[in-house]
Amino acid sequence: EDDWDEIKANTSVKGGSLVQAIKFFYTSENGYVTNKQLYRKLKELRGEDPKKLLNDLKLFSEFYKVYISPRKYEVFENWFKTNIYKIRSNDNLSNIYQSVNALRVFNITQTAPLIYSFLRRFVKLGMQNSNYKNLPSEFVEFLENYHFINNFICDSVGNEVEKKYADWSKEFSNIKDDKEFLAKVTEITSMLSSNDLCAVEDEFTASFVRFKFEESKTKREEIRYIFN
């Protein structure tokens, strides 16, 4: 009951919800699920060890909290180094934090299961101790750039890639070695860079010059992001 209370507290942050968090948790390892299917699918995960399911959900809820709600860098840093890995370069961690914060500014949430699945498998494969230590910041920044172009500026519908993100989350969770992991990253970045999914430069430019600034807290944050 104490763990469940903590999960509820972690997922009740501004902009978040318990149902969304549980859905993202399920998606991060098992792929796409509708809200209607969620309860039954979650029961199937329980198996013979409901405590493990609770612990896994609690761990995800802590990630969800720092992803959905704006947090000081120190809070994000502490969460990352405690739950993911003790990243050696604070510059890389700062880049990850800035990209996650940008996705929040864009109001993009569907990247959460993909980023979580990516990070967990990256660590499980021991890739943080290899030549790929910059890969997490590069991957999350790629997602930031993609959504800046397509959703923040070009105003495409963010959920057009939700199903793909869910499928990729499941695939990351089942990857067996670093070669397969790198191949999946290349596949994702290539697909999202294609003209089928990404706005072309002329479309971006036309949308950018029409971008309107209004006096509000949200708009000020958007302006700061663009100038930065």
Side-chain angles (χ1 to χ4, degrees):
E1 288 179 358
D2 289 341
D3 286 342
W4 182 248
D5 285 343
E6 189 171 336
I7 290 168
K8 288 194 294 182
N10 287 339
T11 58
S12 63
V13 293
K14 183 179 179 181
S17 78
L18 178 62
V19 173
Q20 183 188 63
I22 294 175
K23 182 177 179 178
F24 284 172
F25 162 73
Y26 181 90
T27 300
S28 69
E29 289 193 8
N30 300 279
Y32 185 75
V33 64
T34 64
N35 285 2
K36 187 176 180 180
Q37 298 170 324
L38 184 58
Y39 180 68
R40 178 172 54 84
K41 291 290 187 180
L42 199 67
K43 284 180 68 177
E44 292 173 4
L45 283 186
R46 181 186 62 190
E48 299 299 321
D49 191 0
K51 183 65 177 176
K52 181 182 182 303
L53 176 60
L54 183 65
N55 289 338
D56 290 346
L57 182 54
K58 182 181 174 183
L59 185 64
F60 182 85
S61 75
E62 292 167 356
F63 163 77
Y64 181 85
K65 180 179 179 179
V66 299
Y67 181 93
I68 293 293
S69 181
R71 299 283 156 185
K72 292 181 179 179
Y73 174 72
E74 292 75 15
V75 176
F76 183 85
E77 179 185 33
N78 181 63
W79 168 81
F80 194 97
K81 290 184 175 180
T82 301
N83 297 292
I84 303 301
Y85 65 98
K86 287 183 171 57
I87 193 166
R88 293 176 183 174
S89 170
N90 283 336
D91 288 342
N92 286 339
L93 186 53
S94 177
N95 291 340
I96 295 172
Y97 168 77
Q98 291 180 40
S99 292
V100 167
N101 207 39
L103 290 166
R104 180 189 59 78
V105 172
F106 307 159
N107 198 30
I108 297 296
T109 59
Q110 57 269 36
T111 47
L114 180 61
I115 292 172
Y116 187 76
S117 183
F118 171 96
L119 290 173
R120 297 274 286 171
R121 184 53 54 174
F122 182 82
V123 173
K124 190 157 281 189
L125 294 174
M127 295 177 71
Q128 73 273 23
N129 300 317
S130 66
N131 294 327
Y132 309 119
K133 56 182 178 294
N134 295 330
L135 191 58
S137 61
E138 292 170 356
F139 182 71
V140 180
E141 184 180 15
F142 177 87
L143 295 176
E144 171 196 353
N145 294 340
Y146 173 82
H147 287 286
F148 173 74
I149 293 168
N150 290 279
N151 306 119
F152 187 66
I153 298 299
C154 292
D155 205 25
S156 298
V157 179
N159 61 11
E160 65 185 356
V161 290
E162 182 178 4
K163 181 67 165 58
K164 286 183 171 59
Y165 283 178
D167 291 341
W168 291 333
S169 298
K170 181 179 180 179
E171 289 164 8
F172 267 128
S173 71
N174 293 316
I175 283 174
K176 299 295 190 295
D177 57 53
D178 56 355
K179 290 183 179 178
E180 190 180 349
F181 189 94
L182 294 172
K184 182 55 60 180
V185 171
T186 300
E187 176 193 328
I188 291 170
T189 54
S190 297
M191 190 173 293
L192 291 179
S193 299
S194 69
N195 290 343
D196 291 337
L197 291 177
C198 190
V200 296
E201 185 173 353
D202 288 347
E203 182 184 352
F204 172 83
T205 303
S207 297
F208 188 82
V209 298
R210 291 196 303 267
F211 200 81
K212 300 291 185 183
F213 300 120
E214 300 167 359
E215 180 58 33
S216 69
K217 182 178 179 181
T218 300
K219 281 295 181 182
R220 284 198 298 271
E221 197 168 23
E222 293 174 357
I223 292 167
R224 282 197 297 269
Y225 173 81
I226 289 176
F227 281 127
N228 182 57

